[in-house]
Amino acid sequence: MRWSHTRALILMMGFICPALAQGSRVETIGPLTASSISESVRKALEEKGYRVLQADGRVVCEIWFRAAVPLQAGKTAEPDVVYAGLEESTFLGVIIFPQPTTDYRGQAIKPGAYTLRYALYPADGNHMGIAPNRDFLLLVPADLDQDAAARYSFEELVKLSAKAAGTNHPAGLSLRSAEGYKTIPTVVELASRYTLLVAPVKTTAGGELTLALIVKGVAEL
C-alpha cells in the first residue's frame, strides 16, 4: 500500500513539474549597443534591458525602456485609459524582434529594431472592442525615429508606425493594466493567447511606473 501511494505521488509530481516548467520567462540583459540605433535613442535608454523567451528557449523580443519617462502632472483621466500620465507620442523604449512576428492586429512585422511610442487608439466605432483599454505602444522602424526627444502629432506617428507593417495601419502592441502584479519584472501568459511583459520604468519625477505590455499575441477581432 505504501509503495502504491509513493508511486502515485511520483507520477503526480511528474505531471505537475512539467506544467510548472512551461511558459515564457524574462531575463535581464545589458545595455543596447547596436550602432544601427541612433546615439540620441541609445543615450535615452536604461543601461539594462529585458529578454523575453518562450518555453522552448526561443527569443520573443529584447526590449530596453527609457531611463526616465516624463509624466504629465494633473492630467485628466480619459475613459478606458490606463496610463493617463503619459502624453501621446512619448518615446518609451526600443524593442528588437529577432524573427518575424505580428503586431496586436495580426499585421506582419519583420525582424529588426523599432522604437516604442505611446498612443491612444481613437474612441470611435472602428476600434470598439479591440482591447480593454485604449493604451498602445506604436512600433516605428528605428532608422526612421532617431531623436528620443522628438514629438509627433497623432497623424505623423500613425504614418511612421505604418511603415513598420508596410500597410496603411499603424503597428501597435497593446498595453494593459499592471495592477495586481507584485513581483516584477515578470512574464505572464494571458488566456493562453498573449505573452505579457510586466516591468518597471523610472520617471522624471523620481518614481516608478509599471508597464504591462503584450509582446506576443493577436487580438480577437
Side-chain angles (χ1 to χ4, degrees):
M1 181 68 68
R2 184 176 300 169
W3 163 246
S4 177
H5 287 170
T6 303
R7 184 182 181 190
L9 181 61
I10 292 172
L11 288 173
M12 183 171 64
M13 290 302 294
F15 284 112
I16 292 174
C17 291
L20 293 176
Q22 290 177 358
S24 302
R25 65 187 189 278
V26 60
E27 60 186 31
T28 303
I29 56 177
L32 177 59
T33 58
S35 59
S36 58
I37 309 299
S38 75
E39 185 178 9
S40 168
V41 168
R42 281 189 280 114
K43 283 186 173 181
L45 300 173
E46 286 193 56
E47 292 188 355
K48 69 176 181 180
Y50 301 105
R51 179 180 292 128
V52 179
L53 302 103
Q54 297 180 161
D56 60 7
R58 285 185 294 176
V59 177
V60 175
C61 66
E62 294 179 336
I63 186 168
W64 292 262
F65 289 112
R66 188 170 181 168
V69 175
L71 296 178
Q72 287 185 302
K75 184 180 177 183
T76 304
E78 298 180 57
D80 303 320
V81 175
V82 173
Y83 298 92
L86 293 174
E87 188 174 356
E88 289 199 72
S89 93
T90 297
F91 168 76
L92 285 182
V94 171
I95 191 167
I96 293 179
F97 295 110
Q99 55 194 3
T101 186
T102 63
D103 73 347
Y104 187 70
R105 292 173 57 96
Q107 298 184 113
I109 304 297
K110 295 179 180 179
Y114 301 87
T115 58
L116 297 168
R117 288 187 177 268
Y118 179 72
L120 298 173
Y121 71 69
D124 58 31
N126 294 328
H127 298 85
M128 289 289 290
I130 188 174
N133 49 279
R134 296 170 54 205
D135 312 71
F136 274 74
L137 293 186
L138 296 190
L139 306 170
V140 178
D143 61 339
L144 300 180
D145 190 10
Q146 299 187 15
D147 183 1
R151 303 307 295 266
Y152 302 104
S153 69
F154 180 74
E155 292 75 16
E156 290 171 334
L157 183 56
V158 164
K159 288 182 179 179
L160 280 172
S161 181
K163 295 181 184 299
T167 68
N168 293 324
H169 297 282
L173 303 178
S174 178
L175 281 167
R176 297 295 173 87
S177 170
E179 186 177 355
Y181 296 104
K182 304 297 184 183
T183 303
I184 55 174
T186 189
V187 171
V188 181
E189 298 291 340
L190 298 179
S192 301
R193 185 179 184 90
Y194 305 116
T195 300
L196 182 77
L197 171 64
V198 186
V201 296
K202 295 181 177 66
T203 71
T204 53
E208 255 187 12
L209 175 68
T210 303
L211 297 178
L213 179 66
I214 292 178
V215 295
K216 182 179 174 63
V218 176
E220 298 183 71
L221 299 178

